[in-house]
């Protein structure tokens, strides 16, 4: 009876003592044992206790490994499969429950970066063709698609089990959509229509989409992230499709890293206090409410783009991990600023070109965008340090500036103060505005002595023009707006007048720019990047003259 009340089933007792189950029931009833319902409750409690102990033992031994695997980007399914192979003595239920209780966040969607750029773009074209019942033919496909693109798409489809005939249908449809866009420039597709047609396409291709599964065409979320930095309109524009007038317009406000971190931290605190789900949709609703209260927060799309995934965003807030950005030290001196910067820029230039040449074709565009942003961001930041160091080390700089034309009253007051407040005058905005003028690097507002200014003036015009393209290219990659595209087009046209390699009549979409700059062994990119080195050489010469 003690065993029964401890949770041992009557069937097990019958087998243990060699009697029938009915005899066990008679004995238990005669001795006033608990009924069947009570016995089941005891057994359930015992199993729960054993399960808890098993889960706790698993976490005690493997918690560190779970967190390490999550941080490396492994999915929950992959982790469960690894433990199934390496710890067969532990039941799958124990492993799953332990992972759930650990609170570790795993990546779910491996689709986002599994497919190359061309494969993602092909997905959009294929859905556009399907939505408009476009049927192409072989001559159109031969004319519209490059061999590299066809090969990459066909290989991706083959990995999903799609055979040659169906791949041919996809490629022909992609070409048909591109050709149709030439005849009907207003051809477009909404995000909602894309999602609807994608569901139809998955059935047609014999694929199934589900949470965490890898299928093609990619989801609209993946399309927005890979091609449009989180925006449907920008994703379409990147491949030459004009979006409809509906949907969100792209904002141009740039938040600092601390803004993203505080947004996620505050949101998770809000979820804990209100017992709300920590989902992306909940974050969007929270941001809307914050906006109504007068507190501006980064959008959900911006947060996801900044941290590369929603999982990473939550993980950041929980662990304190920080996105690192290359920032120059503010302690550089006039004697070493340009020389050190030239050395670092030269290394970055060579390293980036070597890295790009060794990357798979599908990864080069993303690496190009990152390099342009980093290269120009670092240059502009270090130029500010250099400019301030030059001015502060020159006793005559303030006198020259006071005598120069165009000095604003507010700046005059700061410079005539005792002592002069140079930091309040030489702000980041002011120095960047000088660089953004038509004279570019040569524009110094009279701060430099004539010999130092002459060194900057001697920088070749083609290098200054290439640097303007680099700055506008960085802005275009950052904002991808109509204004930034127009400014880039103007700068590229001006450079084309000086260097024939940069002449083009093609629209400067993100897709075209990346392929164009990477073609011919990336010689155009090398020329643009080299303009930064030419700038630092001129600044080094000016520095040497200024220091006497």
């Amino acid at each position: 009876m003690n065993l029964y009340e401890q949770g041992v089933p009557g069937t097990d007792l019958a087998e243990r003592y060699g009697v029938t189950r009915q005899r066990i029931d008679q004995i238990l009833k005669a001795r006033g044992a608990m009924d069947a319902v009570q016995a089941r409750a005891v057994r359930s409690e015992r199993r729960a206790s054993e399960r808890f102990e098993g889960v706790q033992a698993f976490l005690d031994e493997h918690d560190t490994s779970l967190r390490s695997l999550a941080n490396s980007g492994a999915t929950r399914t992959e982790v469960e499969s690894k433990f199934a192979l390496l710890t067969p003595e532990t039941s799958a239920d124990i492993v799953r429950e332990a992972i759930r209780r650990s609170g570790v966040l795993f990546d779910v969607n491996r689709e986002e970066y599994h497919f190359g750029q061309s494969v993602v773009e092909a997905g959009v074209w294929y859905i556009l063709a399907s939505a408009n019942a476009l049927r192409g033919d072989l001559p159109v496909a031969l004319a519209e698609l490059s061999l590299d693109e066809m090969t990459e798409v066909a290989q991706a489809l083959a990995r999903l089990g799609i055979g040659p005939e169906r791949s041919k249908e996809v490629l022909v449809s992609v070409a048909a959509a591109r050709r149709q866009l030439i005849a009907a420039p207003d051809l477009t597709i909404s995000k909602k229509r894309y999602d609807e047609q994608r569901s139809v396409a998955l059935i047609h291709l014999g694929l199934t989409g589900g949470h965490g599964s890898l299928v093609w065409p990619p989801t609209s979320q993946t399309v927005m992230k890979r091609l449009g930095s989180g925006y449907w309109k920008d994703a379409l524009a990147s491949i030459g499709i004009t979006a409809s007038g509906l949907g969100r317009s792209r904002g141009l406000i740039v938040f600092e890293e601390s803004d993203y971190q505080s947004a996620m931290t505050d949101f998770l605190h809000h979820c804990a206090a209100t017992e709300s789900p920590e989902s992306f949709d909940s974050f969007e609703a929270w941001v809307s409410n914050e906006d109504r209260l007068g507190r501006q927060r980064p959008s959900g799309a911006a947060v996801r783009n900044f941290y590369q995934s929603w999982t990473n965003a939550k993980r950041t807030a929980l662990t304190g991990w920080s996105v690192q950005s290359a920032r120059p030290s503010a302690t550089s001196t006039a004697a070493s600023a340009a020389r050190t910067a030239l050395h670092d820029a030269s290394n970055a230039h060579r390293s980036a070109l070597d890295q790009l040449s060794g990357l798979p074709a599908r990864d080069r565009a993303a690496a190009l965008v990152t390099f342009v942003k980093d290269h120009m961001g670092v240059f502009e930041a270090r130029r500010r340090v250099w400019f301030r160091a030059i001015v502060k080390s020159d006793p005559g700089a303030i006198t020259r500036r006071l005598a120069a034309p165009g000095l604003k009253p507010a700046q005059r007051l700061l410079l005539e103060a005792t002592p002069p407040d140079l930091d309040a005058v030489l702000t980041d905005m002011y120095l960047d505005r000088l660089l953004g003028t038509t004279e570019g690097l040569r524009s110094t507002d009279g701060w430099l002595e004539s010999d130092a200014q002459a060194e900057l003036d001697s920088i070749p015009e083609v290098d200054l023009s290439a640097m303007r393209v680099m700055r506008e290219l960085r802005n275009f990659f950052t904002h991808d707006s109509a204004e930034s595209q127009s400014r880039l087009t103007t700068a590229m046209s001006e450079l084309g007048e000086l260097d024939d390699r940069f002449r083009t009549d093609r629209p400067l979409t993100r897709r075209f720019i990346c392929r164009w700059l990477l073609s011919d062994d990336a010689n155009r990119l090398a020329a643009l990047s080299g303009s930064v080195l030419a700038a630092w050489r001129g600044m080094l010469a000016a520095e040497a003259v200024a220091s006497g």
Side-chain angles (χ1 to χ4, degrees):
M1 195 167 101
N2 289 336
L3 291 174
Y4 183 71
E5 291 181 345
Q6 291 172 10
V8 178
T11 303
D12 292 351
L13 291 173
E15 292 180 1
R16 177 179 295 191
Y17 293 107
V19 297
T20 65
R21 170 60 190 269
Q22 288 76 13
R23 180 54 183 157
I24 291 295
D25 289 342
Q26 291 172 359
I27 294 172
L28 292 174
K29 184 176 181 180
R31 298 196 177 188
M34 66 180 71
D35 60 24
V37 174
Q38 291 173 318
R40 281 194 294 271
V42 170
R43 288 196 296 272
S44 178
E45 184 177 347
R46 187 185 68 172
R47 285 195 296 269
S49 177
E50 291 174 349
R51 183 183 179 88
F52 177 82
E53 292 174 358
V55 168
Q56 193 58 51
F58 183 91
L59 288 175
D60 289 343
E61 183 176 359
H62 301 298
D63 184 70
T64 301
S65 296
L66 284 175
R67 298 183 186 282
S68 176
L69 288 167
N71 290 332
S72 70
T75 65
R76 181 188 296 269
T77 301
E78 289 172 342
V79 173
E80 289 179 1
S81 298
K82 284 187 175 183
F83 277 109
L85 293 171
L86 297 176
T87 59
E89 70 281 1
T90 304
S91 73
D93 288 341
I94 293 293
V95 174
R96 281 194 291 269
E97 179 63 16
I99 290 175
R100 187 188 69 79
R101 290 191 185 179
S102 71
V104 174
L105 299 170
F106 290 94
D107 287 342
V108 176
N109 188 3
R110 302 302 296 276
E111 171 195 301
E112 288 177 345
Y113 291 99
H114 183 88
F115 295 128
Q117 186 89 352
S118 294
V119 181
V120 175
E121 293 174 2
V124 178
W125 290 113
Y126 176 65
I127 294 299
L128 183 64
S130 300
N132 291 275
L134 301 178
R135 296 291 180 266
D137 53 32
L138 193 60
V140 171
L142 289 170
E144 287 288 336
L145 304 178
S146 69
L147 176 60
D148 289 343
E149 186 177 14
M150 285 192 285
T151 301
E152 188 173 356
V153 172
Q155 289 175 345
L157 296 179
R159 289 195 295 270
L160 298 176
I162 297 176
E165 284 302 315
R166 194 70 81 186
S167 291
K168 172 189 172 182
E169 174 194 320
V170 168
L171 293 172
V172 168
S173 296
V174 169
R178 291 185 183 174
R179 180 61 61 89
Q180 181 64 22
L181 187 66
I182 297 175
D186 58 345
L187 183 67
T188 188
I189 187 169
S190 67
K191 177 177 175 293
K192 180 180 179 181
R193 178 62 173 147
Y194 179 92
D195 290 333
E196 293 171 348
Q197 192 62 40
R198 176 177 178 270
S199 298
V200 176
L202 291 177
I203 297 173
H204 177 68
L205 295 172
L207 301 172
T208 57
H211 193 58
S213 62
L214 181 65
V215 293
W216 185 94
T219 65
S220 59
Q221 190 62 55
T222 295
V223 171
M224 289 191 294
K225 182 171 183 178
R226 292 290 301 278
L227 305 181
S229 299
Y231 294 83
W232 184 251
K233 286 185 178 181
D234 292 350
L236 295 184
S238 72
I239 59 175
I241 301 173
T242 302
S244 65
L246 302 176
R248 294 183 298 157
S249 60
R250 176 96 185 231
L252 295 180
I253 295 176
V254 179
F255 291 94
E256 299 291 336
E257 179 178 349
S258 59
D259 296 323
Y260 291 95
Q261 292 172 337
S262 63
M264 285 305 303
T265 301
D266 293 347
F267 167 67
L268 293 178
H269 286 164
H270 162 79
C271 291
T274 61
E275 298 184 354
S276 303
E278 299 173 355
S279 65
F280 180 81
D281 290 339
S282 293
F283 180 83
E284 292 274 61
W286 176 77
V287 168
S288 297
N289 187 59
E290 288 285 283
D291 188 57
R292 286 193 293 270
L293 295 173
R295 294 189 288 265
Q296 194 166 34
R297 303 283 195 169
S299 68
V303 167
R304 184 158 46 191
N305 182 56
F306 184 78
Y307 290 111
Q308 299 303 306
S309 73
W310 179 242
T311 298
N312 277 346
K314 290 193 291 183
R315 184 182 296 146
T316 296
L318 293 171
T319 63
W321 172 83
S322 174
V323 177
Q324 298 297 321
S325 56
R327 299 185 185 275
S329 170
T331 59
S332 299
T333 64
S336 62
R339 188 177 303 279
T340 302
L342 175 59
H343 176 269
D344 293 345
S346 298
N347 288 340
H349 171 82
R350 289 193 300 271
S351 176
L353 293 177
D354 290 343
Q355 180 189 28
L356 284 167
S357 65
L359 286 175
R362 69 181 187 184
D363 297 330
R364 288 176 188 166
L368 163 65
V369 171
T370 298
F371 168 65
V372 170
K373 289 182 178 180
D374 288 349
H375 204 43
M376 284 310 299
V378 170
F379 169 77
E380 291 177 355
R382 298 191 82 155
R383 172 188 166 274
R384 299 182 203 120
V385 174
W386 174 85
F387 200 104
R388 293 185 184 109
I390 287 289
V391 170
K392 290 180 179 181
S393 64
D394 183 355
I398 293 178
T399 302
R400 282 193 299 274
R401 182 61 187 125
L402 287 170
L407 182 63
K408 295 182 179 180
Q411 287 187 331
R412 181 174 295 278
L413 287 174
L414 292 169
L415 294 178
E416 290 179 342
T418 305
D421 193 349
L422 279 172
D423 288 332
V425 176
L426 301 176
T427 63
D428 288 357
M429 183 179 295
Y430 168 70
L431 295 177
D432 288 348
R433 189 180 297 122
L434 288 180
L435 188 61
T437 63
T438 55
E439 287 297 305
L441 199 63
R442 295 170 178 167
S443 179
T444 63
D445 259 2
W447 287 101
L448 303 189
E449 61 175 298
S450 58
D451 289 344
Q453 181 66 51
E455 295 296 339
L456 295 184
D457 292 342
S458 67
I459 297 174
E461 185 64 38
V462 67
D463 289 318
L464 293 177
S465 183
M467 171 158 287
R468 282 194 289 274
V469 169
M470 277 289 280
R471 291 193 80 228
E472 299 303 341
L473 190 61
R474 187 275 312 274
N475 293 338
F476 176 69
F477 284 153
T478 300
H479 301 301
D480 209 356
S481 63
E483 180 183 357
S484 62
Q485 184 182 39
S486 175
R487 291 170 63 91
L488 174 61
T489 301
T490 299
M492 193 71 76
S493 176
E494 292 172 352
L495 178 58
E497 295 296 320
L498 302 171
D499 187 336
D500 288 341
R501 290 177 295 177
F502 294 94
R503 290 178 179 269
T504 179
D505 295 327
R506 296 281 298 275
L508 297 185
T509 63
R510 177 182 289 241
R511 178 174 180 269
F512 169 72
I513 290 170
C514 289
R515 294 191 175 186
W516 191 47
L517 293 181
L518 290 169
S519 65
D520 298 329
D521 296 324
N523 73 84
R524 294 183 185 86
L525 177 62
L528 293 178
S529 175
S531 68
V532 174
L533 308 186
W536 279 120
R537 293 188 191 100
M539 293 160 71
L540 178 60
E543 184 180 281
V545 171
S547 62

